[in-house]
Amino acid sequence: MRHAPLALLGLISCLPHLAGAQSFAPDTPEAGSVEEIAKATTETRFLSPWVAYLPASTSGAVSPRNFLHRIPGAPGELVNSATAYAYCRALAGSSARVRVFTIGRSEEGRDIVLLAIADEAGIRDLERLKAATAALADPRRTDAAAAEQLIATARPIYYFNAGLHSDESGSTESVLELAYRLAVSEQPMIRRIRENLVVLINPVSNPDGRDKQVEWFYRYLKGKTEQAQLPRQAPPYWSHYAFVDINRDAHQQVHATTKAVFHMLFEWHPQMVHDLHESVALLLTWNGTNPINEHIDPLTYAERLELSFHEVQTMTGFGMPGVWTWNFGDDWAHLYLDAIGINHNADGRGYETFGNGSAETMHSEQPDSNTSVEWYRPSPAPPVGSFLWSARDNVNYNETAMLAALDDTAQQAKTLLHNYYLKGVHSYRKGLDEAPYGFLIPDGQGDPTRVAQLVSRLLSLGIEVHRATSPVTLKEGTWPAGTYVVRLDQPYRNYAVDILTAQQFPKDGPESYDDISWAFPAHYHLAVIPTADPQVRSAALAPLTEAPHVAGAVTGAGPVFLLKDSGQEGLLEARYALHGFRIAIAEHAFNIAGTDYPAGSWILGAQSGLAAAVRDTAGKLGLDFASTGTLPDVARHDAPVPRLGLWVPWADTDTAGWARYALDQRHIPYIYVRDEDIRAGKLREKYDVLLYPHVDLELAEQIEGLHKAWSPMPFKKTASTPSFGTPASSDDITGGIGYAGLGELQKFIEGGGLLITLGSGSMLPLEGGLVRGVRREAGGVPRSTAGGGAASAAASQNAVTRTPGSHVRVSFARPEHPIAYGYGPRTWVFRQNYALYSIPRRWLRMAYCTVCLDGPIDRSGIVLEWGDREGAPFVVSGQAWGEENLIGRAAVLDMPVGKGHVVTFNFNPLHRDLNRGDQRMLWNAIINWRAIVSTP
């Protein structure tokens, strides 16, 4: 152990076993709490005087120690969501300083609970305090004088979010103790916090994952303290859909957890949204490096830095090593849960504390390079492996930092409220004083339903949208009545501009932490026109008060129905909705009754019951059908409904969860295919199409799966693991498909099946031998150094050619192919840092000899290629490096194998439910599966 700094002497002097209980005055420690906390803390330097005891309540408030029969962070113990919520309700029922609310329900039916803590006056005044921050959020209804009057009696609202990533288990334990301490302690600092703030705590923001993780710990990890010998430390599922990506949902609101936080945001209008995580040693308080996002108010960056350095200063003063800020990822993309605050003029904050991935005490074997002295890390953590770390150590760091943040906020409460109001003013004034003054979203674009989906998503994010009640004429042109208009004289103007304009990540910028483009127009493949004409504010507009719904129509008379393909995303859902009817798809353009129908248009011949089914589908999905008396004379192919299997490997359910979500939302019946189902074989008897989504796995990991040394590792519902087995169960999740399973996939394809692979899932057929003639030339799984570890990220990040979450241009090499239906010959797609593959050849070299070299290039399998054939700039939004090595290579391949085909995407058209304009290519492959496999 290093020599104790002077500040640590003060800590030691306040420990009662050295100095007597009077050191905690005016509090009295709860009997036994000091000793239990000291015993559970591995070193005195990992403890602060603020959290070295639990204050005894003089008003009968229930302590977590008495309720749980242990201290929070006790070695070898974790609290599940039901017990955590029961404690929250018990605390609220026993303290006049605490109230409890329910702000949502999880996908699996669990409550999502919120605690509010303040002094008695604050609790009595909660409705007034909420109304005050709501008024401060909107400068259009609150002028400067009224704002100052509100600020005089208002309080900042500080929100903590715990338990988002389920294996980062310490935050729930920490906030339960924090809630009790805030409610009970009479220390001057705590009283200052209670009297000047409202503290909101979401103790288990992802309760489905929490319960799975807790049961996993007791089933597989309890009592095991050698980290290098541990089995897998997390269950295969956290939330119902996503794993880590539940923290990539700020723009979409797909997950119940995110929806609950938005519910909190719009009800309470907090000034701080603070998310609690675990990764690096020992506590990082978030601030990112360059490049920063210019649409975030400078005050937000300044406030975050001040708060973070206050935490560093306070905890370093206590002698607690390893507390730092700043150098963790960039500050470019605000798509994480804390960004819900940043995007709405509040501060989004977060911690990364050190965690073992277990409640047991152990030496960590995880590599960590953050041990150097830097200006942002004045007292680094000790070398990894040189110290024991406990769950209580994690609580000590978390809670001490949170108290420092709350006290700093309380001491500048009026300034922070004033800044919150100013940020709304700044955003609103920009909408008045500088272009763009608004955006126009024509509703008559190729897919009116996708337009409505975009508008609905804007509304859900708090962006105000209007609709033109008469034609709108501006300097850029004229738009008809019905056009959607986003006026920018609104408090969240900056957020609207951020998501409705293209991103331009600097070419000389550092490695990005995550996506560098999130532009909604690019994601949705829609035209969103900025206007530099301030007259947009004078247009005849009606505010939208609810999400729009597009009702399709059926026109004409006759037994034959036609559906013009204008790029509608809803065709896959429509095909399954009409599963009982025969549908043919035109392979060429045709004209009937003066209307042009492009290739891909649907032809439904006369069938019993068809008319009613078509009208129902049109109304629900916003599709326009025309009926006529005769079938058009055009080449066409049948499109029978496929038996669809979705393979979700146990080794990575995260990105596959987004594919499940996309299919579930469109009511697509599919069979959940597990690794063991692949191994069992007879796949062609069960499926026509097998979809293998993007996975964050290299080739060997995709085949071999979870380590067989952990076998058997069941994931199924039992009396002791009631949350297991959802959404899928298994007697043993280890072993992957194995090489025998790879052979079964080959039999499936050669027997006439269609295998579709997305993103890194395409490694399996291209590198695993299912498809011949293609080799990987560079790159790997699209991981970031911070997110995936330096070693696993090296292949992706060190590649010359990189597109780290950018929108880039593509061209159809085979515009007649069914995958091209609904698109023009040139378009764009969203691409992460996927591997770079060679252009296919007839064969690859067989040995090292002159006559054994690679065969001739064969481009016949390339459906879609990277780059614009007419020379438009490669990048639509984001950035690309080494794009010259990518242009001309395959973005989508369709390769015949035996009687079947393999379709590989070198991008992921189902990326986090964002790139909806790309999805139609995948839907085309599924709808037209029979035509694809029938082509030699």
Side-chain angles (χ1 to χ4, degrees):
M1 175 179 171
R2 299 175 181 172
H3 65 278
L6 291 177
L8 185 56
L9 299 179
L11 167 60
I12 294 173
S13 69
C14 80
L15 294 176
H17 64 277
L18 297 175
Q22 68 274 13
S23 301
F24 297 106
D27 291 340
T28 300
E30 188 175 283
S33 66
V34 173
E35 293 77 11
E36 291 175 25
I37 290 172
K39 183 178 179 181
T41 300
T42 59
E43 298 184 33
T44 54
R45 60 178 172 169
F46 298 155
L47 181 63
S48 79
W50 290 350
V51 299
Y53 71 102
L54 284 173
S57 174
T58 60
S59 61
V62 179
S63 78
R65 181 172 168 271
N66 287 332
F67 192 89
L68 302 174
H69 308 292
R70 63 172 176 84
I71 58 168
E77 303 293 343
L78 287 175
V79 61
N80 64 17
S81 69
T83 305
Y85 292 161
Y87 174 67
C88 291
R89 293 185 174 103
L91 179 62
S94 60
S95 173
R97 298 167 177 170
V98 182
R99 285 191 62 189
V100 65
F101 304 89
T102 299
I103 57 173
R105 287 182 70 80
S106 73
E107 286 85 354
E108 296 177 11
R110 295 173 176 87
D111 285 345
I112 301 176
V113 163
L114 183 73
L115 286 176
I117 305 169
D119 61 2
E120 291 84 348
I123 293 296
R124 287 194 303 268
D125 250 2
L126 280 181
E127 294 304 315
R128 180 185 65 80
L129 294 172
K130 286 196 293 185
T133 52
L136 292 173
D138 191 348
R140 296 169 301 180
R141 65 186 181 97
T142 307
D143 62 20
E148 290 308 312
Q149 288 183 333
L150 285 169
I151 290 168
T153 58
R155 301 185 185 192
I157 298 174
Y158 201 120
Y159 169 81
F160 286 110
N161 193 82
L164 181 64
H165 284 163
S166 302
D167 68 339
E168 300 166 10
S169 54
S171 59
T172 293
E173 303 273 328
S174 302
V175 296
L176 294 180
E177 182 171 299
L178 174 69
Y180 173 74
R181 191 179 305 279
L182 292 175
V184 167
S185 175
E186 295 301 329
Q187 291 286 354
M189 178 184 73
I190 303 296
R191 294 183 63 178
R192 180 164 57 242
I193 293 169
R194 280 199 303 264
E195 292 166 2
N196 289 278
L197 305 178
V198 175
V199 180
L200 303 179
I201 295 174
N202 183 340
V204 192
S205 62
N206 176 11
D208 296 346
R210 178 72 183 188
D211 288 355
K212 289 179 175 62
Q213 183 68 42
V214 170
E215 292 168 18
W216 190 269
F217 168 76
Y218 285 110
R219 174 66 176 81
Y220 293 111
L221 303 174
K222 175 77 171 174
K224 298 175 182 177
T225 58
E226 294 294 329
Q227 192 172 67
Q229 303 300 318
L230 292 179
R232 178 183 168 102
Q233 292 180 257
Y237 275 98
W238 290 344
S239 73
H240 189 71
Y241 288 111
F243 202 71
V244 172
D245 266 8
I246 197 172
N247 194 29
R248 306 291 189 275
D249 194 32
H251 297 324
Q252 308 98 291
Q253 290 193 67
V254 161
H255 303 288
T257 291
T258 317
K259 293 174 183 175
V261 176
F262 266 94
H263 177 92
M264 176 280 304
L265 180 90
F266 293 134
E267 180 179 0
W268 293 83
H269 296 87
Q271 284 60 64
M272 303 289 168
V273 175
H274 192 143
D275 200 12
L276 302 172
H277 287 265
E278 295 176 15
S279 62
V280 296
L282 289 175
L283 185 142
L284 165 74
T285 169
W286 290 351
N287 278 287
T289 62
N290 285 341
I292 64 172
N293 188 318
E294 65 180 7
H295 299 301
I296 306 303
D297 195 289
L299 278 171
T300 294
Y301 289 119
E303 289 169 347
R304 292 167 62 209
L305 284 166
E306 189 279 330
L307 283 159
S308 291
F309 278 108
H310 177 77
E311 290 153 348
V312 173
Q313 178 185 15
T314 299
M315 297 179 72
T316 301
F318 284 141
M320 302 176 79
V323 182
W324 54 292
T325 189
W326 185 69
N327 192 29
F328 187 78
D330 58 73
D331 230 325
W332 177 254
H334 293 288
L335 48 84
Y336 315 100
L337 187 136
D338 73 290
I340 294 171
I342 290 177
N343 294 330
H344 294 87
N345 299 329
D347 290 353
R349 309 195 64 230
Y351 296 152
E352 301 284 345
T353 51
F354 204 47
N356 289 330
S358 168
E360 300 292 359
T361 301
M362 64 187 78
H363 285 95
S364 174
E365 301 294 333
Q366 298 298 322
D368 195 327
S369 60
N370 302 300
T371 57
S372 61
V373 175
E374 307 287 350
W375 63 266
Y376 52 85
R377 186 170 51 231
S379 177
V384 170
S386 68
F387 60 93
L388 279 172
W389 188 256
S390 70
R392 183 64 209 189
D393 294 334
N394 180 279
V395 170
N396 294 340
Y397 269 71
N398 250 330
E399 193 178 358
T400 300
M402 287 188 283
L403 288 168
L406 290 172
D407 188 40
D408 194 22
T409 304
Q411 293 192 61
Q412 52 179 329
K414 303 307 179 187
T415 297
L416 290 172
L417 285 170
H418 181 71
N419 288 352
Y420 178 69
Y421 174 71
L422 279 181
K423 284 185 277 188
V425 171
H426 295 163
S427 187
Y428 167 62
R429 289 302 315 179
K430 277 189 174 183
L432 291 174
D433 299 337
E434 62 184 67
Y437 299 104
F439 293 97
L440 296 104
I441 309 173
D443 74 333
Q445 301 185 56
D447 187 359
T449 297
R450 195 157 69 241
V451 175
Q453 291 171 349
L454 169 61
V455 171
S456 298
R457 187 154 279 179
L458 292 174
L459 291 171
S460 74
L461 297 173
I463 306 298
E464 296 172 2
V465 183
H466 292 72
R467 199 162 195 186
T469 57
S470 61
V472 178
T473 299
L474 303 169
K475 63 173 63 175
E476 293 85 4
T478 298
W479 289 267
T483 299
Y484 296 102
V485 179
V486 179
R487 285 175 43 172
L488 291 178
D489 53 333
Q490 58 175 294
Y492 302 143
R493 172 266 181 199
N494 289 347
Y495 186 30
V497 173
D498 188 43
I499 57 180
L500 290 176
T501 57
Q503 282 70 54
Q504 296 178 342
F505 193 89
K507 196 83 168 182
D508 60 352
E511 175 197 344
S512 61
Y513 187 84
D514 206 276
D515 295 346
I516 60 174
S517 176
W518 51 89
F520 277 18
H523 270 318
Y524 282 75
H525 287 223
L526 294 173
V528 177
I529 301 100
T531 176
D533 191 339
Q535 292 303 311
V536 68
R537 296 194 294 269
S538 302
L541 306 174
L544 287 181
T545 57
E546 60 183 10
H549 173 72
V550 177
V554 179
T555 58
V560 176
F561 292 88
L562 305 176
L563 175 60
K564 182 177 181 177
D565 187 349
S566 60
Q568 305 97 314
E569 190 270 337
L571 293 193
L572 181 67
E573 185 172 355
R575 184 63 195 97
Y576 278 90
L578 296 169
H579 62 89
F581 301 94
R582 299 184 308 277
I583 295 178
I585 296 181
E587 296 178 350
H588 305 291
F590 64 93
N591 182 285
I592 195 164
T595 299
D596 291 326
Y597 290 83
S601 296
W602 288 14
I603 303 167
L604 294 85
Q607 300 166 67
S608 176
L610 178 61
V614 164
R615 288 189 177 87
D616 182 64
T617 300
K620 289 179 179 178
L621 301 183
L623 299 172
D624 292 330
F625 289 82
S627 62
T628 184
T630 58
L631 290 169
D633 182 16
V634 63
R636 53 187 178 268
H637 59 257
D638 290 334
V641 173
R643 298 170 298 166
L644 176 63
L646 177 67
W647 172 24
V648 182
W650 287 115
D652 180 18
T653 65
D654 192 16
T655 46
W658 295 102
R660 290 177 44 242
Y661 176 82
L663 295 174
D664 287 346
Q665 290 300 301
R666 289 155 184 80
H667 310 99
I668 307 303
Y670 63 90
I671 303 169
Y672 186 113
V673 183
R674 308 165 301 168
D675 294 337
E676 53 264 52
D677 300 321
I678 300 288
R679 296 195 304 262
K682 299 183 178 179
L683 304 177
R684 190 66 189 91
E685 297 177 11
K686 306 168 188 174
Y687 320 113
D688 300 308
V689 177
L690 193 56
L691 174 61
Y692 183 38
H694 166 61
V695 288
D696 190 23
L697 302 169
E698 284 284 357
L699 176 62
E701 298 163 343
Q702 295 183 36
I703 297 171
E704 297 171 8
L706 299 177
H707 201 346
K708 284 291 288 183
W710 302 333
S711 177
M713 183 172 272
F715 181 70
K716 61 182 182 180
K717 187 184 298 293
T718 68
S720 60
T721 58
S723 72
F724 283 15
T726 303
S729 66
S730 177
D731 291 323
D732 186 2
I733 64 174
T734 70
I737 62 169
Y739 293 91
L742 190 62
E744 295 297 337
L745 287 172
Q746 185 175 15
K747 292 177 186 177
F748 166 76
I749 302 163
E750 292 180 345
L754 175 62
L755 175 66
I756 304 174
T757 61
L758 312 180
S760 292
S762 294
M763 286 182 180
L764 190 74
L766 297 180
E767 301 178 39
L770 299 177
V771 169
R772 308 298 296 272
V774 181
R775 65 164 62 95
R776 190 202 304 195
E777 295 191 340
V781 176
R783 297 165 172 159
S784 72
T785 299
S792 61
S796 173
Q797 291 299 333
N798 295 336
V800 173
T801 300
R802 291 177 289 121
T803 55
S806 296
H807 292 92
V808 296
R809 295 191 191 276
V810 289
S811 300
F812 279 102
R814 295 171 59 183
E816 79 289 348
H817 194 283
I819 290 175
Y821 292 161
Y823 291 92
R826 296 149 38 244
T827 183
W828 63 82
V829 297
F830 182 83
R831 188 181 193 272
Q832 292 182 293
N833 272 347
Y834 294 111
L836 185 70
Y837 289 99
S838 66
I839 295 173
R841 292 179 178 269
R842 295 284 301 278
W843 62 82
L844 298 181
R845 70 184 182 196
M846 297 164 281
Y848 186 67
C849 69
T850 303
V851 296
C852 305
L853 301 180
D854 291 348
I857 285 177
D858 181 2
R859 299 184 64 90
S860 63
I862 300 178
V863 176
L864 184 73
E865 66 183 34
W866 296 110
D868 186 285
R869 287 192 167 187
E870 295 190 6
F874 183 63
V875 175
V876 174
S877 180
Q879 190 55 271
W881 291 262
E883 58 267 36
E884 64 276 5
N885 299 318
L886 188 60
I887 292 172
R889 297 178 189 259
V892 176
L893 280 171
D894 175 14
M895 307 287 277
V897 178
K899 295 179 181 179
H901 277 237
V902 175
V903 170
T904 67
F905 286 73
N906 192 224
F907 60 99
N908 180 11
L910 300 180
H911 179 70
R912 299 173 182 166
D913 195 45
L914 282 166
N915 53 335
R916 292 193 177 184
D918 300 348
Q919 292 176 353
R920 175 63 195 279
M921 294 186 201
L922 174 58
W923 303 160
N924 281 341
I926 296 172
I927 294 169
N928 296 278
W929 71 275
R930 174 71 62 79
I932 291 173
V933 299
S934 298
T935 303

